[in-house]
Amino acid sequence: MKRVFFIVLTCAVLASCSGYKCKKEAKDGYVAASKQLNELASRMESLNPHSSVSDIREARAAAEALSYDYNPIGLDSVTASQCAQLKKQVGEYKAEALSDIEWLAREKKISIVSDDDLLVEGTVYHAAALQRGDTIHYSVKAKSPVSLRIANADSKTIERTFSGKTAIEGKMPVEHSAVYYFELNPGTANYVDIDLSYSLADVSRLESLKTVSLERKECSKGDFLAFGVNGIKTIPLLDGVRAFTLSSQLKSIFSGSDRAIVPIIVPSGTKEILYSLRISTSQKEKDADGKFDENINYSYHKVKFLGLPLWNSAHGSSLIDMVLDDNRPLREEDCYCSMYVIRNQSSAKKFQDGTTAITDINYDVDYSTVGTQSCNGRIPVNGSSKIYLSFLNERMRFTNYIWVEASAVVPITEYYTYSYSLGDYCGED
């Protein structure tokens, strides 16, 4: 294998040039060329296939800029001989340095990703902008089987596929200039050793390197490299907001009612019901009334924008909690009522009639709340086809006004793919 060859420079500066009555420009040119030659030699001594792209670029620029010539007219034979010797050294060393840099550029592997202890919990993507003649190098090792796909993002074609392997290693010539995606699928959470890189067709490629940034975007199921993510959709259940007046305990003896029921028909596929309850001593509406479903969808899309885990059995609760935290209704310190979650019609009727003590009514203790201020929350469906949200004003003297909204949470599969953008390569690899 060829290695970088370094010339030991022994060029003598024309210290005695003035004694030979040479022209000043001859001495200045000699000194400048000697300095260039020594600086390039110093650069070359530190270069190897692990040097950064910027170091190799700078050495190439210095080698291409290296030149020396002189005018022999007016120079004595000794000075002319020294100048000729330097010119020969410069020419030979420049050619040797450019040859070595060409070899370094082809030998260097430019990293796409390298990690010898990477925890991969789901499908991940990496990308590189490559040109025809480049070579892709890939190495993936894991304790349990993983899959790797190499795809041309521009032509939307799969170039290589490795499925269900614990060791994937090799190289691949790049046949077409394009951006290439590397899709790693661990199957289940898996630690992997991964090293993806590429080498260049020739040294001129050093100047055309690009970085690739990926951005996840929604797509259709059949789109190229589309992958599914567990998400949710919400269905508003009450056509906006339901408003009720809950009379005080004393007033309800003579007129009005201290209780109200909101029956909710559970749509097919629903896993949870989200609700918002605002309680006030004033009948005045707020701007947010009737916008609960709209607002939780806005919050949900913020979560997606941040790239956080979407709905599944492990993360569903935390996702819903984040969405609800963004949409807590305004509280009034002296306003409260009780909300009971009832799952069958007969119990709901007993509550509505007011002839049965609440202690004798079958309600869901886990998701009911006594003496609550304005709040929101989540109620698992648990197989119920209908849920009755039942409200009771247990205050003796004060009437409460309540606004109730609810949405169904239905798990769905959302599909995404990646788009890319190119940037200038910084050269630090």
Side-chain angles (χ1 to χ4, degrees):
M1 179 182 291
K2 181 177 180 182
R3 65 181 181 82
V4 181
F5 176 71
F6 303 110
I7 298 174
V8 179
L9 299 179
T10 57
C11 297
V13 177
L14 295 180
S16 59
C17 186
S18 57
Y20 298 113
K21 298 179 181 180
C22 64
K23 293 182 179 181
K24 182 178 183 299
E25 55 266 27
K27 180 178 181 180
D28 291 344
Y30 189 99
V31 170
S34 297
K35 182 179 179 181
Q36 273 187 301
L37 191 56
N38 284 306
E39 287 177 350
L40 177 59
S42 178
R43 282 185 190 275
M44 294 299 295
E45 285 179 4
S46 64
L47 287 185
N48 60 68
H50 301 292
S51 298
S52 70
V53 169
S54 58
D55 285 343
I56 299 175
R57 280 175 174 172
E58 289 170 5
R60 181 176 180 240
E64 289 179 335
L66 180 64
S67 65
Y68 174 67
D69 203 356
Y70 68 98
N71 184 353
I73 297 175
L75 301 181
D76 58 60
S77 60
V78 174
T79 301
S81 175
Q82 287 180 313
C83 291
Q85 183 181 7
L86 178 60
K87 181 176 180 179
K88 180 181 179 183
Q89 277 189 310
V90 166
E92 291 176 347
Y93 192 74
K94 179 174 183 176
E96 185 69 25
L98 287 174
S99 175
D100 288 340
I101 292 169
E102 177 81 32
W103 174 79
L104 280 172
R106 291 195 303 268
E107 286 294 306
K108 178 171 179 55
K109 293 181 180 179
I110 300 173
S111 179
I112 301 168
V113 59
S114 182
D115 197 320
D116 60 2
D117 190 30
L118 179 65
L119 176 60
V120 184
E121 298 183 272
T123 303
V124 294
Y125 289 81
H126 301 282
L130 306 176
Q131 288 189 10
R132 185 175 186 175
D134 292 345
T135 301
I136 296 169
H137 305 268
Y138 49 86
S139 175
V140 180
K141 298 177 182 178
K143 289 185 178 180
S144 57
V146 300
S147 297
L148 176 70
R149 290 200 296 178
I150 302 174
N152 183 322
D154 296 336
S155 65
K156 294 182 171 53
T157 55
I158 304 297
E159 303 295 324
R160 292 279 177 93
T161 299
F162 308 91
S163 300
K165 297 181 179 295
T166 56
I168 302 167
E169 194 163 10
K171 61 183 181 179
M172 183 188 95
V174 176
E175 296 183 0
H176 304 285
S177 299
V179 169
Y180 286 79
Y181 287 169
F182 302 83
E183 177 195 78
L184 178 64
N185 187 337
T188 58
N190 205 344
Y191 280 98
V192 301
D193 299 341
I194 182 170
D195 190 356
L196 303 177
S197 62
Y198 61 97
S199 52
L200 307 177
D202 57 69
V203 69
S204 64
R205 276 279 285 123
L206 289 171
E207 306 305 322
S208 61
L209 298 180
K210 295 292 183 181
T211 59
V212 182
S213 299
L214 295 180
E215 182 178 0
R216 192 171 72 172
K217 64 177 185 179
E218 292 187 62
C219 68
S220 300
K221 182 177 180 179
D223 288 351
F224 181 66
L225 291 184
F227 58 94
V229 173
N230 293 326
I232 61 171
K233 69 175 181 179
T234 63
I235 303 173
L237 298 173
L238 303 177
D239 295 326
V241 61
R242 294 280 183 88
F244 299 92
T245 300
L246 301 183
S247 299
S248 66
Q249 293 279 305
L250 288 175
K251 187 175 181 181
S252 67
I253 296 173
F254 305 102
S255 64
S257 175
D258 60 359
R259 63 191 61 205
I261 285 185
V262 180
I264 294 176
I265 298 175
V266 179
S268 175
T270 301
K271 296 298 182 183
E272 295 182 304
I273 300 296
L274 306 185
Y275 68 87
S276 173
L277 170 63
R278 187 171 75 83
I279 312 168
S280 177
T281 56
S282 168
Q283 286 183 285
K284 188 175 180 180
E285 293 184 351
K286 301 289 186 181
D287 290 340
D289 291 339
K291 297 180 180 178
F292 179 62
D293 190 78
E294 175 185 336
N295 291 338
I296 60 176
N297 269 284
Y298 176 77
S299 298
Y300 173 65
H301 281 83
K302 282 200 305 182
V303 171
K304 292 202 296 183
F305 178 78
L306 293 172
L308 299 177
L310 301 187
W311 199 96
N312 58 41
S313 57
H315 299 291
S317 295
S318 60
L319 169 66
I320 296 300
D321 289 343
M322 289 176 65
V323 169
L324 291 176
D325 281 343
D326 272 354
N327 296 284
R328 300 290 179 190
L330 293 173
R331 285 186 174 182
E332 297 179 26
E333 291 300 321
D334 58 348
C335 291
Y336 57 88
C337 74
S338 295
M339 184 188 82
Y340 300 95
V341 177
I342 300 175
R343 295 183 181 271
N344 66 78
Q345 190 178 62
S346 61
S347 295
K349 187 174 188 309
K350 290 178 182 178
F351 178 87
Q352 190 174 46
D353 292 343
T355 56
T356 305
I358 191 65
T359 54
D360 295 327
I361 294 177
N362 182 20
Y363 64 88
D364 190 328
V365 176
D366 293 333
Y367 295 95
S368 298
T369 177
V370 176
T372 182
Q373 294 176 310
S374 297
C375 65
N376 60 22
R378 45 199 290 269
I379 303 168
V381 170
N382 293 341
S384 301
S385 60
K386 187 176 285 188
I387 292 175
Y388 301 86
L389 300 183
S390 307
F391 302 95
L392 176 63
N393 183 3
E394 298 185 89
R395 304 176 74 190
M396 292 299 295
R397 297 171 51 200
F398 298 100
T399 295
N400 280 337
Y401 301 95
I402 67 170
W403 287 262
V404 183
E405 298 177 66
S407 292
V409 175
V410 180
I412 60 171
T413 300
E414 299 177 340
Y415 290 92
Y416 294 86
T417 188
Y418 282 95
S419 61
Y420 69 82
S421 58
L422 299 178
D424 292 331
Y425 189 85
C426 64
E428 295 305 316
D429 184 86

